[in-house]
């Protein structure tokens, strides 16, 4: 069994400062991450299946490629990132502005990554587009 060596520091820091600078420089759309000021709407684990069944919801797996390969929810979008530092750019290219779906739901392993992911998403999508995330992540 072989495994790809990956820098796991993203689990703690998520390199947001680097990501925000990279994205801001390339598209001037994402500002600083402020998950203490604005995050998506929490969805309790007991209510998550309702979100997954809603055909208007784009479900995004915010975890890295390795975690996605281990298992994900049916119909969840894979941003194909190896590190969270790549996620804001994926958001900019796939859900920003007029590309925004009617609703967005995100999930991660323990809920922390989604705090930053939903904050970035809310900075990019038009006002009024609901952005949800699984409270406590898939471990809840």
């Amino acid at each position: 069994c072989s495994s790809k060596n990956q820098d796991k520091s993203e689990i703690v820091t998520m390199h947001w400062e680097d990501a925000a600078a990279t994205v801001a420089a390339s598209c001037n759309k994402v500002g600083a991450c402020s998950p203490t000021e604005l995050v998506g709407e929490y969805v309790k684990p007991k209510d998550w299946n309702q979100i997954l069944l809603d055909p208007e919801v784009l479900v995004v797996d915010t975890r890295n490629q390795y975690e996605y390969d281990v298992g994900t929810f049916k119909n969840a979008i894979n941003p194909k990132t190896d590190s969270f530092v790549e996620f804001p750019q994926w958001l900019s290219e796939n859900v920003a502005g007029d590309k925004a779906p009617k609703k967005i739901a995100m999930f991660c392993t323990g809920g922390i990554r989604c705090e930053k992911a939903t904050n970035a998403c809310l900075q990019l999508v038009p006002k009024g587009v609901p952005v949800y995330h699984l409270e406590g992540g898939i471990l809840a």
Side-chain angles (χ1 to χ4, degrees):
C1 176
S2 67
S3 67
K4 181 179 172 184
N5 278 340
Q6 294 182 3
D7 177 9
K8 297 300 182 195
S9 63
E10 73 182 66
I11 293 170
V12 177
T13 68
M14 286 165 266
H15 301 283
W16 187 265
E17 294 78 18
D18 295 338
T22 300
V23 172
S26 65
C27 67
N28 287 328
K29 292 188 179 180
V30 176
C33 179
S34 303
T36 57
E37 296 175 22
L38 180 67
V39 294
E41 182 179 330
Y42 295 105
V43 176
K44 299 272 186 207
K46 68 180 181 66
D47 300 322
W48 185 245
N49 280 342
Q50 290 175 277
I51 294 290
L52 294 176
L53 295 173
D54 185 337
E56 294 186 338
V57 176
L58 174 72
V59 179
V60 180
D61 188 335
T62 67
R63 301 171 307 150
N64 62 41
Q65 186 65 46
Y66 171 79
E67 293 167 305
Y68 179 89
D69 289 343
V70 170
T72 192
F73 292 106
K74 184 177 180 180
N75 298 323
I77 299 298
N78 177 9
K80 298 181 182 170
T81 59
D82 289 319
S83 171
F84 189 79
V85 71
E86 300 165 351
F87 191 72
Q89 184 66 39
W90 182 88
L91 283 173
S92 295
E93 294 170 357
N94 293 278
V95 301
D98 61 354
K99 296 177 223 158
K102 291 184 179 180
K103 303 174 188 175
I104 301 170
M106 298 181 177
F107 65 94
C108 59
T109 303
I112 296 170
R113 205 172 323 188
C114 283
E115 298 287 331
K116 292 187 175 199
T118 60
N119 177 268
C121 190
L122 286 164
Q123 291 181 52
L124 293 167
V125 299
K127 292 205 182 301
V129 173
V131 177
Y132 306 103
H133 77 258
L134 177 58
E135 185 174 22
I138 59 174
L139 297 179

